Amino acid sequence: MSRMHRRLALGLLTAASALTLLSGCSKQDGSTPNSSEKPKADGAKEPSAPKSQVRVGFSQIGAESDWRKANTESIQAEAKKRGIDLQFVDAQQKQENQIKALRSFIVQDVDVIAFSPVVETGWEPVLKEIKDAGIPVVLTDRAVDVSDPDLFVTFIGADFVEEDAGRGSGWRRRPGGNAKIAELQGTPGSAPAIDRKKGFEEIIAGYPGLQIIKSQTGEFTRAKGREVMESFLKSPEGKDITALFSHNDDMALGAIQAIEEAGLKPGVDIKIVSIDGVHAAFEAMVAGKLNCTVECNPLLGPQLFDAVEAIVAGKPVEKRIVTKEGVFTQETAAEDIKTRQY
Ligand code: AHR
C-alpha cells in the first residue's frame, strides 16, 4: 500500500464515512482483504494482480515475564497465520530502543506500526514523526500518556486499574479483614505499575484493616521479586507481613522462594495475590503457595491483527479495545489449570 493510499485509508477511517463502510473490502471472517480477488457474479473469486502483503512493525518491550513471552508468541503466531509481514523488534526493557525501532519502521514505510510501550511518558515526539509519515499506530497491552489522542488509532489491552479495583475481589476475600501488606510493584513508570497501584490503593482505602507496610519495585521479574521480598522479610517490619500483593505472577513466584527460604509458608503464613494468570501461577495455587491470580490476558495477537486489517481496509476501529479476563483462586486451580493456554 502506498503512502498516499494509506493516508486516504486513514482519512476514511477518521471520517468513518458511508463510503468507507460500503467499500466492500472486508470479509465476514475478519481475515485480510485481498485486492487480488475480484468477486465474480456467482460469488466465487478469481485471481488478478498479486496481492501486496500487509507490513507491520512491532516493537516489543522485552521478555521479562512468562506473560510477555506468551504475548510475543501470540503476536508472532497470528501474523504468520494471516500472512502478514511482521518486523518484530525486542527493546530489552529500554525506551530508547523502542524509539529507535519505531523510527526504523518509518524508514521501512510499513503499513501499520504497533508497540507495547515500556513506560507511559516520553512518546510524543516520535509519535508525531510517525503521524507526519502517515503511518497509523496501534498500542497493545500498555497505554501512553500523550496530549493528542490522534497520535494513535486504538489501544488494545486490559484495564489495569479495574484489575484491582473491580475484579480484584479475590484480593478482598483472601487476606480477610486485617492484613499488613507487602507490595511488589512493576516497572517504574509503566502503565500496569501505575494503574495497578492506583486500583489497589482505591480498594484498600475502603478497608481500614488493610495496610501497606512495604512497597518497592520488583521490575516484573522473578529474580527481582525474590530479591526484594527477601529484603522485605529481613527488614524490621518483616515479621509483621501477613500478605503480599504482587503486580505480576513472576514477581510473586520469586517472592514465594524468598518466603520459603525464610522458613515461612507462602499462601498460609503470608497470603499472596498476584496478576497475570500464567501457567506457573496455577501450579503454585495447586501447591497451595499462591492464593489468587487476577488474569491479564497476553493473547493479543488476534485482536491486534483484526485492528490492523480493519485500518488497512479503511474501516473504523474502536479507540479502546478492552480484553476480557477472569479471577482465579486456589479452590478451582486444579480444574482451571487443565484449560490454560499460556
Ligand atoms: O503489561 C503487562 C505486564 O507486563 C504483565 O502483567 C507483566 O507480567 C508484564 O511483564
Side-chain angles (χ1 to χ4, degrees):
M1 176 187 256
S2 71
R3 188 168 295 175
M4 196 185 75
H5 282 112
R6 194 166 53 223
R7 287 212 178 95
L8 179 63
L10 260 180
L12 289 170
L13 176 68
T14 311
S17 66
L19 181 62
T20 307
L21 295 170
L22 291 172
S23 65
C25 306
S26 64
K27 288 182 180 177
Q28 285 293 322
D29 62 2
S31 60
T32 314
N34 188 341
S35 57
S36 69
E37 292 175 347
K38 288 190 194 131
K40 290 203 301 187
D42 62 3
K45 304 279 195 302
E46 65 181 16
S48 56
K51 171 196 169 189
S52 70
Q53 202 180 14
V54 174
R55 297 175 69 225
V56 177
F58 186 89
S59 167
Q60 178 61 290
I61 291 171
E64 73 281 3
S65 61
D66 285 0
W67 188 100
R68 186 68 51 201
K69 289 172 203 154
N71 180 244
T72 291
E73 160 66 22
S74 169
I75 289 164
Q76 290 179 329
E78 194 65 26
K80 195 167 170 205
K81 190 171 135 194
R82 298 188 191 210
I84 284 171
D85 176 1
L86 178 69
Q87 305 299 312
F88 181 94
V89 183
D90 179 331
Q92 302 188 346
Q93 310 299 316
K94 292 201 173 80
Q95 183 177 34
E96 71 212 57
N97 289 346
Q98 288 205 287
I99 291 173
K100 213 181 287 170
L102 298 182
R103 291 201 169 118
S104 81
F105 298 149
I106 300 177
V107 174
Q108 290 172 58
D109 195 26
V110 297
D111 296 307
V112 177
I113 291 177
F115 73 113
S116 182
V118 61
V119 290
E120 274 192 343
T121 55
W123 301 103
E124 208 116 10
V126 71
L127 286 176
K128 279 185 184 143
E129 289 170 37
I130 298 172
K131 191 179 178 190
D132 290 346
I135 303 175
V137 170
V138 176
L139 301 174
T140 68
D141 165 36
R142 298 185 185 181
V144 292
D145 185 0
V146 289
S147 52
D148 176 5
D150 288 341
L151 290 175
F152 61 92
V153 178
T154 182
F155 165 39
I156 304 166
D159 181 333
F160 294 137
V161 178
E162 176 64 9
E163 270 170 359
D164 296 315
R167 295 181 298 108
S169 53
W171 170 255
R172 277 176 276 193
R173 278 203 312 273
R174 287 302 102 195
N178 292 295
K180 295 225 187 300
I181 304 162
E183 179 186 24
L184 284 170
Q185 299 177 36
T187 305
S190 69
I194 294 167
D195 291 350
R196 287 172 183 167
K197 183 157 188 55
K198 181 170 176 253
F200 184 53
E201 284 173 352
E202 277 169 13
I203 285 256
I204 63 171
Y207 294 81
L210 303 182
Q211 197 193 341
I212 302 174
I213 59 167
K214 299 296 278 182
S215 184
Q216 200 179 310
T217 180
E219 291 164 16
F220 281 135
T221 69
R222 213 174 278 211
K224 199 79 188 165
R226 180 181 178 174
E227 184 188 314
V228 175
M229 189 67 202
E230 189 184 332
S231 75
F232 284 169
L233 291 169
K234 285 185 176 156
S235 74
E237 303 88 356
K239 58 179 182 339
D240 299 329
I241 297 171
T242 59
L244 169 68
F245 170 52
S246 173
H247 288 196
N248 82 344
D249 287 340
D250 276 75
M251 293 188 294
L253 294 164
I256 285 171
Q257 281 179 271
I259 293 167
E260 287 178 326
E261 281 158 13
L264 297 166
K265 281 196 169 153
V268 179
D269 297 324
I270 297 182
K271 309 281 191 205
I272 308 174
V273 175
S274 67
I275 296 182
D276 274 356
V278 299
H279 202 268
F282 280 83
E283 286 170 349
M285 286 198 290
V286 172
K289 298 179 182 185
L290 177 72
N291 302 85
C292 176
T293 185
V294 177
E295 186 179 38
C296 178
N297 189 353
L299 308 180
L300 301 181
Q303 282 173 303
L304 165 60
F305 292 110
D306 281 351
V308 163
E309 288 174 353
I311 289 167
V312 171
K315 291 165 74 181
V317 176
E318 296 283 334
K319 189 77 190 174
R320 179 74 172 99
I321 301 171
V322 183
T323 47
K324 290 199 183 74
E325 290 149 351
V327 178
F328 300 91
T329 61
Q330 263 182 18
E331 288 75 28
T332 56
E335 208 38 50
D336 296 330
I337 198 170
K338 294 178 189 161
T339 54
R340 296 303 294 165
Q341 282 181 273
Y342 58 92

